[in-house]
Amino acid sequence: SWPLVMMPTKAGTYSLSVSTSRDSDPVETQFQVVPGPPQLIRKLNDDLSTVRGREFPEPPQVRVEDGNFNPIPNALVTFTAPNQETSGFFPGDMRSYTTSTDEDGVATATDLRASAGLGSWQRVPSVDTGFGILTGAAFELENLRPPPETLELELQPAEIVGDGLQTSRAVITLIDDEGGPVANESVAVSVDGGPPQAATDLGDGSYEYEIP
């Protein structure tokens, strides 16, 4: 007998054929190479955002791999959101969500919803390897304010004397689809087809421009 040493690193099914120098039919068999223990949590997307209170349209995803970058199926991945105002919630208003990787080693944090707080936050995935907890790099997420849906315009006064002295004040109010004011937007005003001029942001969803 002769020992046959094989050291494949890619997981999968391999065929083995053995024959002699004589003219005889070879003997064939198959063997499996399975992934090793989890050693890497790879982010498949990042820099995700949605409007506050709404579900993230692109859910965070990771792939769990062994030391030779083989995907690991059926690994339990826990996604954890910080316990703070600007954060997110999983189904049942939970701050963590555990799911199994698919046959490609991919785990998806489905149904992640942004909290009411505005701004950026991070979320960390982890895997229980059986020997300890393997932690991946944090995801960068952002809860955005709703975009403007309604623009209200008021002139104070609506009529002025054309003496070159009187002015009118244009007050613009931006309102989102939740009925709230929208600040920190760029608002431009054009008088009688002239070049657009920037209105002043008052910081409360109102903007003003002096005419002329």
Side-chain angles (χ1 to χ4, degrees):
S1 62
W2 294 272
L4 181 62
V5 178
M6 295 177 291
M7 299 181 64
T9 59
K10 182 176 176 57
T13 301
Y14 291 79
S15 296
L16 179 66
S17 178
V18 179
S19 61
T20 69
S21 58
R22 297 177 181 273
D23 187 15
S24 59
D25 293 333
V27 175
E28 296 184 351
T29 188
Q30 290 184 330
F31 65 95
Q32 297 283 335
V33 175
V34 298
Q39 293 193 28
L40 177 65
I41 303 176
R42 188 187 303 276
K43 291 188 294 185
L44 299 183
N45 52 10
D46 203 0
D47 297 323
L48 309 175
S49 63
T50 191
V51 173
R52 64 183 180 188
R54 301 182 188 177
E55 188 174 311
F56 282 83
E58 182 183 357
Q61 286 188 322
V62 298
R63 183 169 60 238
V64 180
E65 299 173 346
D66 66 9
N68 292 309
F69 309 108
N70 292 303
I72 300 178
N74 302 316
L76 290 179
V77 178
T78 299
F79 297 91
T80 303
N83 187 19
Q84 60 189 32
E85 180 180 2
T86 301
S87 183
F89 294 99
F90 298 101
D93 290 338
M94 303 299 291
R95 293 288 193 181
S96 65
Y97 174 76
T98 300
T99 186
S100 297
T101 56
D102 61 18
E103 61 182 8
D104 296 317
V106 175
T108 304
T110 56
D111 302 324
L112 174 62
R113 174 173 50 87
S115 67
L118 294 173
S120 300
W121 56 284
Q122 295 183 330
R123 202 199 56 197
V124 178
S126 62
V127 174
D128 188 347
T129 66
F131 303 96
I133 301 299
L134 175 66
T135 301
F139 280 88
E140 299 290 337
L141 302 103
E142 185 175 8
N143 300 352
L144 306 173
R145 63 172 45 86
E149 184 175 79
T150 304
L151 185 151
E152 297 179 353
L153 174 62
E154 181 183 1
L155 295 178
Q156 302 172 352
E159 181 180 291
I160 59 176
V161 176
D163 57 5
L165 298 176
Q166 292 191 22
T167 61
S168 179
R169 179 171 171 261
V171 179
I172 303 104
T173 304
L174 300 182
I175 302 173
D176 62 30
D177 59 1
E178 299 174 353
V182 181
N184 303 319
E185 292 287 330
S186 296
V187 176
V189 178
S190 178
V191 179
D192 201 24
Q197 303 292 328
T200 300
D201 186 354
L202 301 181
D204 60 356
S206 298
Y207 305 77
E208 69 174 11
Y209 180 81
E210 190 174 283
I211 307 169

